[in-house]
Amino acid sequence: MRLRKHGRYWYARFTHAGKRHEIPLRVTNKVPAEAKARQINDALDCGEPWEWVTGRLPAGSRTFAEVAEEYLDKGSRWADSTRKANLSTVRMLVREFGGLPVTQIDGRGIEAYLARRRDDQDEPLSKASRNRYLCVLKVVLGKAQEWGYVPLNAAANVKMEPEGRKQPNPIRQDEKERLLAALQPQHRRIAEIYLQTGMR
């Protein structure tokens, strides 16, 4: 990667896939030019499209909205009930990430979004809801990887939040009495052992 100044602007020169490139970085100061050159270099090292650094997208790039729509149309393995339950989640994610190319979505951006939804004063998301949002992102971006739109699933390494185990509701006295009254004597003795010892 080399930098050169032509007129007022800096240009980056590099070779990629056997082809030489010289692209305008659209900056007049060397410091931001070096920063953009590093971003391009990092993208090349990771095998990701470098064009997003300069605001140009590679041919065939897909936005998150396009991938989500394609997933719902032909890639979804969700059952009908799951699909209906997840549609509003998908719509909220499209509102946030829809215009972004899937190559620009990263783990840090996903975590920032979930933290923002957690701290929302008007409608904070619970842990379970945040995990559901993350789960949908993992599925859609996983499909984007499978289809070759991205080299990696950006959500894959974002950890789900521990939700804790729900405590079972203890049986009430009136429920216990009704249960025992409905059982035959031999079954009543077994039920009493279960109820007194907590056996499963």
Side-chain angles (χ1 to χ4, degrees):
M1 178 74 62
R2 291 183 179 181
L3 286 173
R4 84 174 184 94
K5 195 168 189 181
H6 183 68
R8 295 177 56 220
Y9 294 99
W10 286 91
Y11 289 71
R13 282 181 173 179
F14 59 93
T15 302
H16 176 57
K19 186 178 176 183
R20 296 179 74 182
H21 298 271
E22 182 172 275
I23 59 169
L25 298 176
R26 299 186 181 92
V27 292
T28 56
N29 188 296
K30 189 175 183 181
V31 174
E34 288 172 336
K36 284 196 172 192
R38 279 194 299 274
Q39 287 179 308
I40 292 170
N41 204 46
D42 290 346
L44 292 171
D45 285 347
C46 295
E48 296 175 354
W50 54 266
E51 290 91 339
W52 68 268
V53 177
T54 60
R56 297 185 297 165
L57 294 176
S61 284
R62 298 287 194 282
T63 63
F64 180 80
E66 291 169 334
V67 173
E69 184 179 350
E70 189 175 357
Y71 174 75
L72 291 172
D73 284 348
K74 60 185 181 186
S76 170
R77 294 193 183 99
W78 288 333
D80 286 344
S81 58
T82 306
R83 183 188 173 90
K84 285 176 186 172
N86 284 340
L87 272 178
S88 63
T89 303
V90 172
R91 287 192 195 107
M92 289 298 291
L93 291 170
V94 166
R95 189 180 299 176
E96 176 70 16
F97 298 104
L100 279 177
V102 284
T103 52
Q104 288 189 32
I105 299 172
D106 58 18
R108 183 171 57 181
I110 292 168
E111 287 177 350
Y113 169 70
L114 294 172
R116 198 165 66 250
R117 296 301 308 276
R118 177 196 65 209
D119 299 333
D120 189 312
Q121 296 296 321
D122 299 323
E123 255 185 293
L125 282 184
S126 66
K127 276 187 185 181
S129 294
R130 292 195 303 273
N131 281 342
R132 191 171 73 248
Y133 275 61
L134 178 56
C135 185
V136 170
L137 275 170
K138 285 176 185 281
V139 168
V140 174
L141 293 175
K143 189 58 75 171
Q145 181 184 12
E146 183 182 318
W147 287 335
Y149 299 150
V150 288
L152 296 169
N153 178 347
N157 292 326
V158 179
K159 291 189 174 14
M160 306 284 271
E161 296 183 66
E163 295 178 32
R165 297 182 66 178
K166 291 184 179 178
Q167 294 298 318
N169 293 325
I171 189 166
R172 298 191 315 265
Q173 185 61 33
D174 61 316
E175 292 172 328
K176 179 181 172 182
E177 289 169 2
R178 285 202 311 274
L179 171 65
L180 293 174
L183 294 174
Q184 295 177 2
Q186 67 271 26
H187 296 144
R188 191 177 302 129
R189 284 192 291 275
I190 296 169
E192 282 175 344
I193 294 171
Y194 286 162
L195 289 167
Q196 306 249 353
T197 63
M199 289 173 64
R200 292 187 173 191

